[in-house]
Amino acid sequence: MFLRSRSHRAPALLSVAVVTAALVTGCSSGGSGSDDPNAEITLTVGDFGTFGYKEAGLFDEYTKAHPNITIKENSTTVEGDYWTALQTRLSGGGLDDVQALEVSRIALATSDQLSSAFTDLSHAQGVDKDAYLPWKWKQATTAQGKTVGLGTDVGPMAICYRQDLFQAAGLPGDPAAVSALWAGDWAKYVEVGRQYQAKAPKGTFFMDTATGLYNGVVSSNTEQYYKNGKADYQNSAGVKNGWKLAADAVQAGITQGLKEFDTPWQTAFSNSTFATTVCPSWQQANIEKYSGPGNTGKWNIAQAPAAGNWGGSFLTVPASGKHVAQAQALAVWLTAPEQQAKVFQKVGNIPANQKAYALPGVTDFTNPYIGPKAPTGQIFSTAAKAIQPAETGPHHGDFHGAFGNGVQLMEQNHQSPDEAWAATVKQIASTVQ
């Protein structure tokens, strides 16, 4: 059922000046297109991974209601590749009418240097500001009140675990009992890992990667890479705690040391070599895709130690588009609660539009592949409402990717935590401008 696979790679570290110059060039030929609302036009939608619009039949539904409009989706599998290509196209023109942005990029879009490249969607016809999660709306809004993007989905976290491996290691298998093992504290999650590893089935590890643990800890902390408008990652409570716990996991030997989204990580699902993965809502698609039919019914889902957001995206409408009004109407429609609910039911993306939670098949949803009796929809929608967002900035994604690479230095290159930290800070200092 789930097709979601919004893969991420560590982004290239780019200066705001480079992106600004690209956007200014790309915005130089804007226009609003034909004034005739019935004119035959093609709207292009640029996105990455699986936004679910095609899978849920939304493009067909929209063009059926608007027979003068054709929609062409330009999709890239990996977000990092999408972002790199987007910057190239920005410098030479050719933006899509609707352009998706991942959450780690949205601070660039709302910056003083770049916000003029996008239209203000807060005034788009039919948009309902109060329908969106307040923190999600705020992320895409400038200090002057201009909203450059409408939230498509969010990444509330859970922990997905192999019930059979847990029971073989003497741990409980019931979701409520498993949630209680680490409730309120990521350090408890690491401690459960030590308990698992002491009695682990041969050839298995408690978690897939310490990078996922780091991401989970940081994503659930209100203090991440920025403070009071300035980068402050070296003093961040979230970064330091995430780093410490990742180092603890590596040193305890409870992580398989894989790199998320790479082939060995994908293969490990089907080989059943790890028992847990930090599980944003979109991770469900990866589990089903890579675990395969032979592991049906073996995965289950529990609450994460703390509510946090890992991932999620926005739809923007570039000011340089030829059909701005029509593109805005499409973006508003795609992010309305009814459409977000259909996407969730088809590919598992948790809606950013909170009015979708009350619709049938969302909060009461259960995943037939992962914990068919677990209240999956309730777990994720409850977590989404409990998220306390952190301050972000233009290099949020760069910093996050760099520290993820630093955890890999501990896992795969066997560097000490101090050595890996020093290498990470040095890399950031030499590349982020």
Side-chain angles (χ1 to χ4, degrees):
M1 177 178 179
F2 284 96
L3 304 173
R4 171 88 161 159
S5 181
R6 186 170 300 176
S7 304
H8 299 260
R9 289 179 183 165
L13 304 182
L14 300 164
S15 70
V16 173
V18 171
V19 182
T20 302
L23 278 171
V24 169
T25 303
C27 289
S28 61
S29 58
S32 59
S34 172
D35 293 330
D36 181 3
N38 297 315
E40 292 190 3
I41 63 170
T42 296
L43 294 178
T44 57
V45 178
D47 59 33
F48 49 89
T50 305
F51 272 68
Y53 300 140
K54 185 177 293 184
E55 291 81 359
L58 296 185
F59 290 150
D60 289 340
E61 183 178 343
Y62 193 81
T63 55
K64 185 178 181 179
H66 303 80
N68 62 307
I69 294 178
T70 299
I71 298 175
K72 179 183 178 183
E73 182 181 31
N74 296 319
S75 187
T76 304
T77 300
V78 179
E79 191 275 339
D81 295 340
Y82 169 86
W83 177 244
T84 300
L86 177 59
Q87 293 167 91
T88 301
R89 289 170 51 236
L90 283 169
S91 63
L95 285 171
D96 289 306
D97 295 297
V98 177
Q99 204 79 61
L101 287 180
E102 203 265 344
V103 64
S104 66
R105 319 294 183 183
I106 199 63
L108 273 173
T110 59
S111 67
D112 290 341
Q113 298 96 326
L114 307 185
S115 60
S116 61
F118 303 97
T119 64
D120 186 355
L121 293 171
S122 65
H123 299 302
Q125 186 175 359
V127 74
D128 181 2
K129 172 184 175 179
D130 295 333
Y132 297 88
L133 289 163
W135 59 266
K136 184 75 172 180
W137 182 272
K138 184 178 179 181
Q139 283 181 325
T141 302
T142 70
Q144 294 73 36
K146 177 181 180 179
T147 301
V148 303
L150 299 178
T152 60
D153 65 309
V154 292
M157 295 182 298
I159 299 293
C160 290
Y161 66 98
R162 281 288 296 264
Q163 182 171 299
D164 57 332
L165 296 180
F166 261 46
Q167 292 173 328
L171 294 170
D174 176 70
V178 171
S179 298
L181 292 175
W182 48 63
D185 191 348
W186 282 101
K188 292 180 182 178
Y189 176 66
V190 175
E191 179 55 37
V192 173
R194 293 189 178 96
Q195 297 172 26
Y196 174 89
Q197 213 64 50
K199 298 180 180 179
K202 186 177 180 180
T204 70
F205 296 84
F206 177 66
M207 67 179 72
D208 51 349
T209 168
T211 307
L213 170 61
Y214 171 83
N215 288 339
V217 175
V218 174
S219 297
S220 60
N221 201 293
T222 56
E223 191 173 309
Q224 298 181 16
Y225 303 104
Y226 283 84
K227 187 174 182 179
N228 298 325
K230 297 181 179 180
D232 194 33
Y233 51 86
Q234 293 196 62
N235 299 310
S236 164
V239 171
K240 290 194 290 187
N241 191 39
W243 187 269
K244 178 186 181 300
L245 292 179
D248 289 347
V250 172
Q251 294 171 341
I254 65 175
T255 167
Q256 193 170 347
L258 301 168
K259 187 175 182 179
E260 290 171 303
F261 311 114
D262 279 5
T263 300
W265 179 79
Q266 298 171 7
T267 303
F269 279 101
S270 60
N271 290 340
S272 303
T273 52
F274 61 84
T276 72
T277 183
V278 178
C279 198
S281 51
W282 46 261
Q283 187 77 291
Q284 296 175 91
N286 295 321
I287 292 172
E288 181 172 357
K289 179 178 180 180
Y290 300 125
S291 295
N295 286 315
T296 300
K298 296 179 180 179
W299 283 93
N300 214 319
I301 189 167
Q303 294 279 3
N309 185 71
W310 177 0
S313 297
F314 301 83
L315 293 183
T316 70
V317 175
S320 60
K322 295 180 180 180
H323 310 291
V324 168
Q326 295 92 331
Q328 287 184 338
L330 176 60
V332 170
W333 186 83
L334 287 172
T335 58
E338 294 78 11
Q339 281 63 256
Q340 290 201 7
K342 291 174 184 177
V343 168
F344 169 72
Q345 291 158 7
K346 191 65 178 179
V347 301
N349 301 354
I350 297 296
N353 192 314
Q354 59 187 337
K355 287 190 175 181
Y357 301 154
L359 298 178
V362 179
T363 302
D364 59 350
F365 174 78
T366 58
N367 188 331
Y369 187 89
I370 303 173
K373 295 183 179 180
T376 308
Q378 183 179 348
I379 286 173
F380 284 122
S381 58
T382 299
K385 295 175 184 178
I387 290 169
Q388 297 295 317
E391 180 181 349
T392 62
H395 288 296
H396 181 98
D398 298 335
F399 297 145
H400 200 61
F403 276 97
N405 289 339
V407 174
Q408 288 288 298
L409 293 177
M410 292 189 282
E411 285 197 290
Q412 297 189 346
N413 294 22
H414 309 295
Q415 290 190 9
S416 71
D418 288 343
E419 290 172 334
W421 179 275
T424 300
V425 171
K426 182 178 180 180
Q427 178 200 2
I428 291 173
S430 64
T431 53
V432 177
Q433 300 176 19

